Amino acid sequence: MGYTDPSSSRDLLGNRTLFFIFICAFAVVTLLQQILYGRNYLKRGLQFSWQNGEELANWTGTFNFTDDGAVKSGSDTGTRYFEFYEGPLEYNSTKCLELRQDIIEVKVLSMVKQTELFDRWKSLQMCKWEMNVTEANLFKSTLSRCCNAPAFLFTTQKNTPLGTKLKYEVDTSGIFHINQEIFKMFPKVPLPICRINFTILAALDTILVLLISFLYRCNLPPISEKYFTDVGVKTDVVTVNPSIITERFHKLEKWRKPFYDVLQVYENASVLLPAFYNTRNTDVSIRVKYVLDDFESQQAVYYFHPQYLINVSRYWLGQGVRAKRVSTGLILVTAALELCEEVHLFGFWAFPMNPSGIFITHHYYDNVKPRPGFHAMPSEIFNFLHMHSKGILRVHTGTC
């Protein structure tokens, strides 16, 4: 009969015991770190919902992120930390003032790498946003002096009377004489752009104004069954770039019903065009009015006033937006900032990656980009981030 060691069935300081001691030691060290360093500690695993653009349910912190959305370091001292909280940090808290200043101090986009700008922007998302009435009113006053959207956003019978020699936005040597036929096309009063507030959901060129009286979409974006769950179908105004009419609908010189059918997707939405941007745009833009009249459509047609477009472009050039032409989105946001009490932007982003470093398409329905140098989308978004940090408007880049 062999000898059996009575201790063989016991784990005297064996694997299980050592593992238990390790867990206890780790817990003690973690507790000491909390006591000694307070907030300067971060449990990395808690950043999972943040990088999806959502607020953390029970935790928050000031983080630096790598391109793949992982936490790299704390933004103050390079240490990692977390803290208990019941919701986003208060707008005027010391931390949020610092985070907003991190955006504002970047005077030009070329001062920082895109990833650094993304890091600063994502860190700011832990803060509540509040409208700074003083800053917003100051900005509105500036726009009123330079642009005057209430009076000149669209051509009307009041601002463009019969007999006017209208100068084009780009072809400044060109003159368009407002005769009786064209004069009758102009509305007597401006198209209202908003009441109370202006909330925009955009995919760069494509704009949706939600939860208010008017909803704008730009450049005939698709709202078919494939997309309507995300972008909806309600439309009050749809803008049309004349180049779309030229390329897709042969300048309306042949069959006109295909163009009419496309507009019917937006039901009774008004149509807005830059007819007086240059001489090439005028005839094709005016044909839109004739087409709708021929089909006895109730859809109204409006035209941007060229002087307003000139003023807006000049203003944003002074803010660093250097391009052949500002985007339609920026034009409408500029008007909203002058006309409306509060402005929110959803989906405005002009970089190939979202703030978490995930590659995205240029529009929600395609990845067709504007001609190089024609628009300066990154500069436009950069200005929006500045205005967000100052409390002038709010930019939403998280999950809707």
Side-chain angles (χ1 to χ4, degrees):
M1 185 174 189
Y3 173 75
T4 302
D5 185 353
S7 66
S8 62
S9 62
R10 291 176 292 171
D11 186 21
L12 297 177
L13 294 179
N15 291 338
R16 286 176 292 179
T17 304
L18 289 174
F19 180 73
F20 177 74
I21 293 173
F22 173 78
I23 292 297
C24 292
F26 179 79
V28 171
V29 171
T30 300
L31 179 61
L32 288 174
Q33 283 180 313
Q34 273 296 96
I35 294 172
L36 294 174
Y37 301 109
R39 294 169 57 179
N40 294 326
Y41 180 73
L42 168 69
K43 184 176 180 182
R44 179 169 177 160
L46 295 175
Q47 56 89 26
F48 69 97
S49 64
W50 186 273
Q51 71 184 50
N52 287 331
E54 303 168 358
E55 296 170 359
L56 297 174
N58 300 306
W59 307 86
T60 190
T62 303
F63 314 138
N64 287 333
F65 291 75
T66 60
D67 288 347
D68 61 1
V71 176
K72 182 169 60 180
S73 66
S75 66
D76 277 343
T77 62
T79 56
R80 296 176 178 179
Y81 67 86
F82 68 83
E83 63 176 314
F84 291 101
Y85 87 125
E86 297 300 328
L89 298 181
E90 292 299 322
Y91 178 78
N92 286 321
S93 65
T94 301
K95 175 55 61 179
C96 291
L97 289 172
E98 293 174 356
L99 292 174
R100 290 202 302 276
Q101 189 59 37
D102 284 345
I103 299 288
I104 294 171
E105 71 181 13
V106 182
K107 301 302 182 183
V108 293
L109 189 56
S110 59
M111 282 181 60
V112 296
K113 295 180 179 179
Q114 282 189 12
T115 52
E116 173 64 19
L117 180 64
F118 293 176
D119 288 346
R120 298 186 187 195
W121 175 249
K122 285 184 289 188
S123 296
L124 185 58
Q125 302 315 296
M126 75 171 66
C127 298
K128 292 180 180 178
W129 181 88
E130 292 181 10
M131 182 178 176
N132 186 324
V133 176
T134 301
E135 286 283 352
N137 287 340
L138 181 63
F139 195 81
K140 184 179 294 188
S141 297
T142 300
L143 292 180
S144 296
R145 290 192 298 272
C146 81
C147 305
N148 196 2
F152 286 102
L153 179 57
F154 309 120
T155 54
T156 66
Q157 292 186 3
K158 182 177 181 179
N159 63 33
T160 313
L162 180 64
T164 297
K165 296 179 179 179
L166 195 63
K167 292 185 178 180
Y168 285 92
E169 177 190 354
V170 175
D171 300 334
T172 53
S173 60
I175 298 293
F176 188 84
H177 295 268
I178 305 302
N179 58 30
Q180 185 69 35
E181 183 177 352
I182 301 300
F183 178 73
K184 289 182 178 179
M185 294 182 181
F186 296 160
K188 294 181 179 180
V189 295
L191 172 68
I193 192 171
C194 71
R195 302 180 184 127
I196 303 177
N197 62 31
F198 193 74
T199 305
I200 306 175
L201 171 64
L204 297 181
D205 286 350
T206 303
I207 301 178
L208 312 178
V209 183
L210 304 177
L211 305 178
I212 58 167
S213 299
F214 276 81
L215 187 151
Y216 284 70
R217 299 181 192 265
C218 289
N219 294 334
L220 301 178
I223 53 175
S224 59
E225 184 176 352
K226 181 179 179 180
Y227 304 108
F228 78 83
T229 301
D230 295 312
V231 302
V233 295
K234 182 181 185 299
T235 309
D236 290 290
V237 178
V238 59
T239 72
V240 185
N241 190 316
S243 65
I244 296 175
I245 303 174
T246 298
E247 295 167 8
R248 288 174 53 186
F249 302 101
H250 308 287
K251 300 182 180 180
L252 300 178
E253 292 177 341
K254 298 182 179 180
W255 298 277
R256 300 184 174 192
K257 192 173 186 303
F259 176 72
Y260 171 78
D261 289 341
V262 168
L263 289 182
Q264 298 320 292
V265 173
Y266 309 100
E267 297 183 344
N268 290 323
S270 298
V271 182
L272 176 60
L273 305 103
F276 306 107
Y277 168 68
N278 59 30
T279 54
R280 295 189 305 276
N281 283 8
T282 306
D283 286 346
V284 70
S285 298
I286 291 174
R287 285 190 198 116
V288 171
K289 173 63 175 173
Y290 294 145
V291 168
L292 293 177
D293 286 351
D294 287 346
F295 285 95
E296 299 181 348
S297 172
Q298 298 302 308
Q299 292 174 277
V301 177
Y302 295 87
Y303 304 119
F304 281 115
H305 197 292
Q307 189 58 53
Y308 181 78
L309 300 182
I310 291 171
N311 294 341
V312 168
S313 295
R314 184 181 297 133
Y315 172 78
W316 287 111
L317 177 63
Q319 308 306 310
V321 181
R322 302 182 182 280
K324 185 174 181 180
R325 191 172 193 267
V326 298
S327 70
T328 305
L330 181 57
I331 293 169
L332 290 177
V333 171
T334 304
L337 286 166
E338 187 178 349
L339 295 168
C340 309
E341 291 183 12
E342 189 169 313
V343 178
H344 290 244
L345 309 181
F346 286 84
F348 272 83
W349 199 250
F351 304 98
M353 296 182 295
N354 70 11
S356 294
I358 299 172
F359 284 96
I360 55 176
T361 59
H362 191 68
H363 303 111
Y364 68 82
Y365 51 89
D366 66 33
N367 197 32
V368 178
K369 298 177 175 62
R371 297 194 304 273
F374 193 76
H375 293 315
M377 297 292 194
S379 294
E380 293 184 8
I381 305 305
F382 176 70
N383 276 277
F384 292 152
L385 300 186
H386 260 241
M387 288 188 282
H388 174 104
S389 302
K390 294 178 180 179
I392 297 171
L393 54 71
R394 184 174 183 183
V395 179
H396 300 260
T397 56
T399 304
C400 293

